[in-house]
Amino acid sequence: MELINFIEINATTAIILILVGFVGGLVSGFIGSGGAFVLTPAMMALGAPGIVAVASNSCHKFPKAMVGVFKRHKYGQVDVKLGLVMAVFAEAGVLFGKHVMTGVRNSFGAVGTDLYVSAIFILTLAIVGGYVYKDYRKLKAMDDLADEKQQLTRLARWVQSVRIPGTMFYSRGAQAEISFLFTIPLGFGTGFLSSAIAVGGFVGVPGMIYVLGVPAIMASATEMVIATATGLGATILYGMEGAVDIRLAMLILLGSLFGIQLGAMGSTYVKDYEVKFTMAAIMLTVLFSRFFYIPGYLNKLGMMEPLQESTLHILKWIGDGVMFVALIVGAYTVISALLRGMKEHRERQSVSARESASD
Amino acid sequence: MTRSRAGLGKTLFWGGISALFYFGLFYYAEEFLHLAHTTQDACAVTEGMDTLYYNKTTPDLCVAKGGSFIKGTWWFVFAPIAVAFTLSFVHGVATGLFWDRLGMKAKK
C-alpha cells in the first residue's frame, strides 16, 4: 500500500503559497515560462512530495495560462496556430513524461520523485539559463536600435528557409512559413518537461526563439497556449494517480492571477533583452538553490553516507534562502520594469500633448 | 484621452464572489481531499483527527491495516479541474478589475 502525503495547510503555509503564487504569476506573465520553476521547488520546500508539487502545479498552471493567453492575445502577442501545433506534440510528451514519473514513484517512492524532479531541474536550468544569459549579454552589448529588429540565429534562418511539401504552415510569430516537423521535438520536449517539473516553457520558449525565430515576447505569449494544453493533460493524468492537491493549486492561483496580469502588462513596456535577462537571472538562482536539497534526498533514499540531522537542516535552510532570493529577484525585475515603463510612457505622452497644444 | 477605470461596485462584487468560492473550497476541503484520493482504489485509515488515504491497495490489505476500502472512481479527476476553471474565471475577472481600479494599464 502506498501513501501520497498532502501537506497540512495552516495560515502561515497559506500566506506563503499565495505570495509565492504572486511572484510565480508575475514571472509567468512577463516571460511566459510558467513560473513553475519557482512554484514547484517552493511547494517541495514546504514539504509536498515531488509528484504532488508537479501535479498540483499543473492544475494551477492551465487556468492561469488560459487567463494569460486572453490578456496577451489582446496585446497581439499570441501566435495561436503555432501554439496549437506545438500543443499537439506536447501532449505526447506529457504522456511519456508521466509514465517516467510514475515509474520512478513505483520504484523509489515519493522521495524518489523529489530527487528525479530536482535532477531534471538542475540539468534544464543549467543548460537553458546559461544559454539565455549568454544571449542577453550579446544583445545588451549591441546598440538599443539593433534590438528593434531581432537578430535571427543561423539555425532559425535555416529552419525558416526549409520547404517540406505538405507540412508547411504560416507562423505569425516567426513571420515565415515553417514546417511543423521542426515543432515536433520542441513540442514533445516541452510536454515531457512539463510533466517532469511542470515547466514546459524552458524548452518551448527558447526553442521558439532560437530554432523557429519567433521574437521573445511573442514566444513567451504563445507558450501560454501550450501551457494550457499540457497543464490540463498533466492534471488529468496525475489526478488519476491521486496526486493533485486542489488546495495547494488554488492558493497559488489566488496570488498568481494578481501577478500574471501585472507581468503581462510589464511585458508591453520592455525590450526583448530585458525579458531574457529576467529569465536567466531567476533560472540561475533557482538552479543554485536546488543543489542544497540534493544531499537530503540522497540521504533519505539511503544512497549516500548518513548525514547529521543538523547538517541536513542547515543545507535545507540555505536552499530555502536562495529560493527566496530567486523570488525577490523575479518580483523586483518585473515590477520595476512595469513601473519604469509606465512612468516613461506617461512622460512621453505629456510631452507630446504639450507639443501638440503649442502648435 | 484618459481611459476610465473599472467601477468600485463591480470590482467589489467580483472580489466578493471570488472570496466566497475560496471560502467554499476550504470549508469543503475534506471532501475535496476525499475526491482526490479516491480516483483510484483507496484504503481510508483514521488516525486520531486525520484520515489517511492509501492507494495501490486491495480490500484484504485494507482490512489488515484497520481501514475501510473505497473503490476508485476515475471521473472524480474532473472535480479539481472544474474548481480550477471556475476559480480562474471568477478570480481572473476580480484581479483584472482590481488592477484596472488601481490604474495599472498595458502600453498601447
Side-chain angles (χ1 to χ4, degrees), chain A residues 203-283:
Chain A
V203 169
V205 177
M208 278 187 271
I209 297 171
Y210 300 117
V211 178
L212 303 181
V214 177
I217 285 169
M218 283 196 77
S220 68
T222 306
E223 169 60 25
M224 292 183 187
V225 176
I226 307 169
T228 306
T230 56
L232 183 58
T235 303
I236 292 173
L237 291 172
Y238 284 127
M240 308 267 262
E241 298 289 327
V244 174
D245 186 345
I246 188 66
R247 308 164 307 159
L248 279 186
M250 293 301 101
L251 280 172
I252 284 174
L253 188 79
L254 200 164
S256 75
L257 285 187
F258 279 105
I260 198 171
Q261 302 196 39
L262 264 194
M265 284 183 236
S267 73
T268 63
Y269 289 99
V270 297
K271 296 196 188 330
D272 235 39
Y273 68 75
E274 289 179 83
V275 173
K276 287 176 182 170
F277 171 74
T278 310
M279 238 162 127
I282 304 169
M283 281 182 189

Side-chain angles (χ1 to χ4, degrees), chain A residues 2 239 250 254 258 261 269, chain B residues 22 39 55 57 91 95 99 105:
Chain A
E2 176 195 73
M250 293 301 101
L254 200 164
F258 279 105
Q261 302 196 39
Y269 289 99
Chain B
Y22 269 99
T39 49
N55 294 124
T57 183
H91 194 55
T95 50
W99 289 124
K105 310 258 183 235

Side-chain angles (χ1 to χ4, degrees), chain A residues 64-300:
Chain A
K64 184 202 66 185
M66 224 166 52
V67 172
V69 167
F70 288 130
K71 277 268 161 202
R72 293 187 70 173
H73 188 60
K74 265 195 327 205
Y75 309 146
Q77 295 173 352
V78 180
D79 183 344
V80 179
K81 207 187 294 183
L82 177 62
L84 290 174
V85 168
M86 282 183 66
V88 168
F89 302 114
E91 290 294 9
V94 167
L95 261 168
F96 176 71
K98 180 254 169 195
H99 181 72
V100 172
M101 175 78 88
T102 45
V104 168
R105 188 196 63 184
N106 294 341
S107 305
F108 300 102
V111 173
T113 66
D114 290 344
L115 189 62
Y116 167 70
V117 171
S118 295
I120 302 227
F121 250 108
I122 286 171
L123 199 62
T124 318
L125 286 168
I127 295 170
V128 179
Y131 189 81
V132 174
Y133 181 70
K134 237 179 54 181
D135 190 46
Y136 151 76
R137 290 283 299 266
K138 198 173 72 183
L139 281 178
K140 188 82 171 64
M142 287 158 68
D143 194 80
D144 269 2
L145 288 171
D147 183 56
E148 282 182 13
K149 189 172 182 331
Q150 176 176 301
Q151 303 290 308
L152 285 184
T153 59
R154 270 212 327 249
L155 176 59
R157 256 196 291 269
W158 176 76
V159 164
Q160 289 184 10
S161 69
V162 171
R163 294 273 169 274
I164 304 172
T167 70
M168 306 302 290
F169 73 98
Y170 182 75
S171 160
R172 217 182 112 247
Q175 293 194 313
E177 279 217 323
I178 48 178
S179 166
F180 78 78
L181 296 176
F182 289 110
T183 67
I184 296 178
L186 296 180
F188 188 86
T190 304
F192 172 77
L193 217 54
S194 192
S195 63
I197 60 176
V199 192
F202 279 178
V203 169
V205 177
M208 278 187 271
I209 297 171
Y210 300 117
V211 178
L212 303 181
V214 177
I217 285 169
M218 283 196 77
S220 68
T222 306
E223 169 60 25
M224 292 183 187
V225 176
I226 307 169
T228 306
T230 56
L232 183 58
T235 303
I236 292 173
L237 291 172
Y238 284 127
M240 308 267 262
E241 298 289 327
V244 174
D245 186 345
I246 188 66
R247 308 164 307 159
L248 279 186
M250 293 301 101
L251 280 172
I252 284 174
L253 188 79
L254 200 164
S256 75
L257 285 187
F258 279 105
I260 198 171
Q261 302 196 39
L262 264 194
M265 284 183 236
S267 73
T268 63
Y269 289 99
V270 297
K271 296 196 188 330
D272 235 39
Y273 68 75
E274 289 179 83
V275 173
K276 287 176 182 170
F277 171 74
T278 310
M279 238 162 127
I282 304 169
M283 281 182 189
L284 295 172
T285 317
V286 172
L287 162 70
F288 186 53
S289 80
R290 277 287 106 197
F291 282 116
F292 296 99
Y293 296 101
I294 298 286
Y297 302 144
L298 290 172
N299 193 61
K300 266 194 234 173

